[in-house]
Amino acid sequence: MQEIIETSEAPEALPPAEIVDVRFRVPGRAATFQIGDLPCKRNVAVVVQTERGPELGETISAPRSRFPKEIDAKFPRVLRLATDEDLSRAEHNHGQEKDAGDVFRQLARELSLPLKLLRVDYRFDGGKAAFYFMSTKGRVEHRGLARDLAQKLHTRVEMRQIGERDEARLTGGMGPCGRELCCSSWLKDFAPVSIKHAKEQGLSLNPGKLAGMCGRLKCCLRYEYDTYAELRRGLPRIGKKVNCIHGEGVVTQQSILKRQVVVRRFSDEVLFDCSLEDLVERKQATPDAEATPEAKATPAESVPEPTLTQPASSKPEPEVSEWEAASTPDPRAREKRNQSGSKKSARRRPRRRKRGDRDKKPSKPS
């Protein structure tokens, strides 16, 4: 009886879930932390260790394993799950933020500073308060205001002047796409955006459609820029003359996502949609194409090119050694040197007399 041995490969064990993503009260701030042995879940308040000290945050994802690019990364750890005492302290700090905002506006009014307060953020331990504000007159000297705030609030004060993009991040809102603003939901850093990103994607240069809630160019213009730049590579530019299967014409429009162009034919001004496969490369004229059929039929014999030779003189020229050639001056070089010397001597200033010569009177000729 033949024994049949069945072997089954055991499935590979999944990597352990050891990190979690945490979001803080300030919009746009999110980071990754190690959970250790804590039973973390999604949408749970936790106390984590940051560079600014302990902070209260909320998990925005379930515990997960590390991504390939996060294998060697070192993350801070989650200290504990938030307790009732931690939540009550956060409520107390929230009340202090409202009172600090009123004090800020009153002192700014007394000092006649054109400042607009956007947000006050107290640390979890209450040892420092950060004020986020804007100014209508650029940079403003606010050291006196910070000193008065520290005296009245009895805590350390941090002043942060921000711009239009940070204002939209702190206040939040809904974008024209119907979703929450990227800067206030998940975007961490602002990448530079220019009008070049809109031109590359073929968008209409309408400021009302390209500007976001902050009044600047939308951050989402950069999301698909690399894709459009890659698809646009190889397409003939607008206004270029091309040959296609429908005839010769000029490119009037580009469809980047379809990788097609609209060609207007020269003969009857009719528009055609042409793909890259429909375009015919323009063949440059070569000397063989311009030759006559008779010349093409019979190959021409290779005739050596005539060389220009000087007539031989009756008397042979004497041989000159290298030393004699180097020592013999060239008459052309000598003439050129004399001309340059005469120009320099003409521009030369008259010699100044010494102090002793100035006192002496010129002697009369005898």
Side-chain angles (χ1 to χ4, degrees), residues 104 115 129-133 142 145-146 149 157-161:
F104 181 94
L115 302 180
F131 293 85
Y132 300 88
F133 64 94
H142 51 72
L145 177 60
L149 285 172
V157 173
E158 181 180 0
M159 307 290 288
R160 294 188 179 182
Q161 185 172 354

Side-chain angles (χ1 to χ4, degrees), residues 22-51:
V22 179
R23 179 175 57 189
F24 300 99
R25 289 184 59 247
V26 179
R29 285 191 57 204
T32 305
F33 297 88
Q34 294 182 0
I35 59 176
D37 299 333
L38 296 176
C40 289
K41 299 180 181 180
R42 189 175 181 179
N43 299 331
V44 175
V46 292
V47 179
V48 297
Q49 183 66 34
T50 64
E51 297 177 353

Side-chain angles (χ1 to χ4, degrees), residues 202-239:
L203 301 176
S204 61
L205 303 181
N206 187 355
K209 295 182 179 180
L210 298 180
M213 300 297 293
C214 59
R216 302 292 185 88
L217 292 174
K218 295 178 181 177
C219 298
C220 56
L221 292 176
R222 193 178 179 85
Y223 298 164
E224 299 179 355
Y225 171 74
D226 296 336
T227 304
Y228 273 85
E230 183 67 23
L231 294 177
R232 195 167 190 169
R233 194 171 301 164
L235 290 178
R237 65 181 183 275
I238 297 177

Side-chain angles (χ1 to χ4, degrees), residues 38-294:
L38 296 176
C40 289
K41 299 180 181 180
R42 189 175 181 179
N43 299 331
V44 175
V46 292
V47 179
V48 297
Q49 183 66 34
T50 64
E51 297 177 353
R52 311 193 321 173
E55 286 196 37
L56 182 67
E58 181 183 3
T59 58
I60 57 177
S61 66
R64 60 179 178 85
S65 57
R66 293 172 178 258
F67 295 136
K69 62 180 180 180
E70 298 175 343
I71 293 178
D72 299 332
K74 295 182 179 180
F75 299 110
R77 58 191 181 90
V78 178
L79 298 178
R80 61 182 180 274
L81 299 178
T83 61
D84 296 338
E85 183 180 356
D86 297 332
L87 297 177
S88 62
R89 179 183 293 183
E91 290 293 334
H92 176 69
N93 292 341
H94 186 59
Q96 284 187 323
E97 291 172 357
K98 294 182 178 179
D99 299 338
D102 297 338
V103 175
F104 181 94
R105 296 183 184 90
Q106 180 181 357
L107 292 177
R109 204 178 303 112
E110 293 175 359
L111 297 175
S112 300
L113 295 177
L115 302 180
K116 175 184 177 183
L117 181 65
L118 297 176
R119 188 186 184 94
V120 183
D121 183 21
Y122 261 79
R123 284 191 180 179
F124 182 68
D125 55 1
K128 193 174 184 179
F131 293 85
Y132 300 88
F133 64 94
M134 294 182 61
S135 175
T136 57
K137 296 185 179 180
R139 302 296 297 180
V140 178
E141 180 61 34
H142 51 72
R143 285 182 290 186
L145 177 60
R147 183 174 56 253
D148 296 343
L149 285 172
Q151 292 177 357
K152 288 199 173 186
L153 301 177
H154 304 287
T155 185
R156 292 183 298 168
V157 173
E158 181 180 0
M159 307 290 288
R160 294 188 179 182
Q161 185 172 354
I162 61 176
E164 291 82 359
R165 291 188 181 275
D166 292 301
E167 179 188 9
R169 167 187 283 183
L170 293 177
T171 56
M174 303 295 293
C177 59
R179 302 186 61 180
E180 187 180 358
L181 296 179
C182 300
C183 56
S184 62
S185 57
W186 61 272
L187 194 62
K188 295 182 180 180
D189 301 323
F190 290 115
V193 183
S194 63
I195 199 67
K196 172 186 175 183
H197 297 85
K199 292 181 179 180
E200 190 71 23
Q201 301 176 43
L203 301 176
S204 61
L205 303 181
N206 187 355
K209 295 182 179 180
L210 298 180
M213 300 297 293
C214 59
R216 302 292 185 88
L217 292 174
K218 295 178 181 177
C219 298
C220 56
L221 292 176
R222 193 178 179 85
Y223 298 164
E224 299 179 355
Y225 171 74
D226 296 336
T227 304
Y228 273 85
E230 183 67 23
L231 294 177
R232 195 167 190 169
R233 194 171 301 164
L235 290 178
R237 65 181 183 275
I238 297 177
K240 185 177 181 181
K241 297 180 181 179
V242 295
N243 287 336
C244 62
I245 58 177
H246 304 289
E248 187 176 0
V250 62
V251 178
T252 60
Q253 191 178 354
Q254 289 180 337
S255 180
I256 302 175
L257 296 180
K258 296 180 180 179
R259 291 185 64 81
Q260 294 181 353
V261 293
V262 179
V263 179
R264 185 177 70 246
R265 194 162 56 188
F266 289 142
S267 59
D268 51 3
E269 300 294 329
V270 179
L271 300 178
F272 295 96
D273 293 335
C274 298
S275 61
L276 293 179
E277 292 77 11
D278 298 338
L279 298 178
V280 180
E281 294 185 0
R282 208 183 270 267
K283 295 183 179 180
Q284 299 180 357
T286 58
D288 296 340
E290 297 177 357
T292 57
E294 293 78 4

Side-chain angles (χ1 to χ4, degrees), residues 311-332:
S313 59
S314 59
K315 296 182 180 180
E317 296 182 359
E319 295 183 0
V320 182
S321 62
E322 296 181 0
W323 182 85
E324 292 178 354
S327 60
T328 305
D330 188 4
R332 296 182 180 179

